[in-house]
């Protein structure tokens, strides 16, 4: 119960990775508030305890400020903010170009919304939470992606936003020290209820998992345990760090070639 008595907010915490993070914080003893635009289909709970839910559009700065003021008013403190909300559809840059002016403008707006959700919204939430995090000498955990560390074809705007998010976290870690620690989790592939949208059926998921050195996709709980570590006293001297949670990354091609050569 490392986070006993602490209060944590997990954005986008109603499903997938966010719900896994929320459950890990609950299991560690924290009071947890999850927020999203829509309520969860089922309660987010662990160990007989349940996360509170508040509907918030993280793209609305006024609503975000009111949300954090309400959380602090209810619990009297705020110890950790996990900026998890994000995501993107698969769409190559330039799709729709040449099909008419209206379509081209629509494409630019779609990519801008991806950046707004994955970069601007976490900054908005962090700024709104800052006064209470500073008072509690708390921490911020950004949920990044390996898409921000390498080319991200089909999700270019998302990758650019995640790269910016990691840089933002490092800058915040310097500016907000020593009162608030700020770190990032840089995620690889995670198995969630939406995995089929990215990787196909079970055979497709297994094929993708085989490319990871540890031989499987991450589970949301893997991410949650890493987030709990960064929020806990065990990481009391960790700030401005980017912790890779990717199972070793993508299996290097030269290792596969060596295996083929050895077998032949």
């Amino acid at each position: 119960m490392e986070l006993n008595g602490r209060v944590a907010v997990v954005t986008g915490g109603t499903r997938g990775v966010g719900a896994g993070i929320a459950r890990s914080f609950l299991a560690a003893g924290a009071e947890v508030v999850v927020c999203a635009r829509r309520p969860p289909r089922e309660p987010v709970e662990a160990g007989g305890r349940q996360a509170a839910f508040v509907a918030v559009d993280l793209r609305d700065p006024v609503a975000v400020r009111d949300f954090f003021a309400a959380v602090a008013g209810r619990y009297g403190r705020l110890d950790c903010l996990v900026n998890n909300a994000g995501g993107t559809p698969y769409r190559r840059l330039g799709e729709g170009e040449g099909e008419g002016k209206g379509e081209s403008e629509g494409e630019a707006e779609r990519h801008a919304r991806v950046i707004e959700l994955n970069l601007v919204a976490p900054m908005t939430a962090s700024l709104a939470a800052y006064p209470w995090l500073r008072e509690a000498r708390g921490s911020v955990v950004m949920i990044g992606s390996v898409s921000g560390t390498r080319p991200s074809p089909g999700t270019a705007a998302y990758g650019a936003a995640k790269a910016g998010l990691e840089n933002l976290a490092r800058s915040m870690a310097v500016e907000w020290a020593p009162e608030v620690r700020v770190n990032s989790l840089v995620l690889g592939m995670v198995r969630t209820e939406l995995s089929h949208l990215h990787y196909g059926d079970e055979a497709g998921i297994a094929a993708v998992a085989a490319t990871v050195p540890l031989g499987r996709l991450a589970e949301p709980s893997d991410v949650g345990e890493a987030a709990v570590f960064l929020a806990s006293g065990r990481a009391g001297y960790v700030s401005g760090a980017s912790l890779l949670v990717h199972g070793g990354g993508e299996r290097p091609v030269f290792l596969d070639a060596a295996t083929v050569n050895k077998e032949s």
Side-chain angles (χ1 to χ4, degrees):
M1 305 293 282
E2 292 185 79
L3 302 183
N4 210 16
R6 308 283 182 87
V7 178
V9 166
V10 181
T11 68
T14 59
R15 66 181 184 181
V17 172
I21 294 171
R23 293 187 186 101
S24 292
F25 272 75
L26 286 168
E31 297 289 340
V32 179
V33 181
V34 297
C35 65
R37 285 184 295 169
R38 290 179 290 274
R41 294 182 178 178
E42 55 186 34
V44 178
E45 54 189 4
R49 302 173 60 242
Q50 184 172 314
F53 168 75
V54 179
V56 182
D57 186 343
L58 294 170
R59 299 167 299 180
D60 181 344
V62 174
V64 171
R65 286 196 296 270
D66 290 345
F67 163 68
F68 281 102
V71 170
R74 174 177 176 180
Y75 295 97
R77 61 185 298 154
L78 177 62
D79 298 275
C80 183
L81 166 63
V82 182
N83 280 308
N84 165 77
T88 182
Y90 182 90
R91 186 178 180 89
R92 289 182 177 273
L93 291 172
E95 284 188 355
E97 290 286 353
E99 297 179 6
K101 181 178 178 181
E103 176 62 26
S104 177
E105 290 178 340
E107 182 199 4
E109 291 166 359
R110 281 190 289 271
H111 290 302
R113 284 196 296 271
V114 169
I115 294 174
E116 182 181 23
L117 176 61
N118 290 279
L119 176 58
V120 179
M123 181 171 64
T124 299
S126 298
L127 289 170
Y130 174 65
W132 291 281
L133 292 172
R134 179 180 59 190
E135 183 176 331
R137 298 187 75 87
S139 70
V140 177
V141 179
M142 303 290 196
I143 302 301
S145 170
V146 294
S147 292
T149 66
R150 54 167 172 71
S152 185
T155 57
Y158 173 80
K162 290 300 189 181
L165 186 67
E166 195 171 348
N167 186 276
L168 174 66
R170 290 173 179 165
S171 296
M172 287 167 56
V174 174
E175 292 194 13
W176 290 3
E179 293 86 4
V180 180
R181 295 183 298 107
V182 185
N183 293 290
S184 297
L185 292 179
V186 181
L187 308 187
M189 295 172 285
V190 184
R191 179 161 188 160
T192 70
E193 61 267 38
L194 299 179
S195 291
H196 64 282
L197 297 178
H198 298 279
Y199 313 127
D201 58 13
E202 287 299 320
I205 292 172
V208 172
T211 69
V212 179
L214 289 188
R216 66 177 179 88
L217 303 187
E219 297 293 336
S221 59
D222 293 316
V223 182
E225 292 305 306
V228 166
F229 163 71
L230 289 178
S232 74
R234 293 176 183 265
Y237 199 66
V238 180
S239 193
S242 296
L243 176 60
L244 292 168
V245 184
H246 63 359
E250 298 167 357
R251 191 179 298 276
V253 174
F254 67 82
L255 288 181
D256 293 336
T259 300
V260 172
N261 292 336
K262 183 177 180 180
E263 291 177 348
S264 62

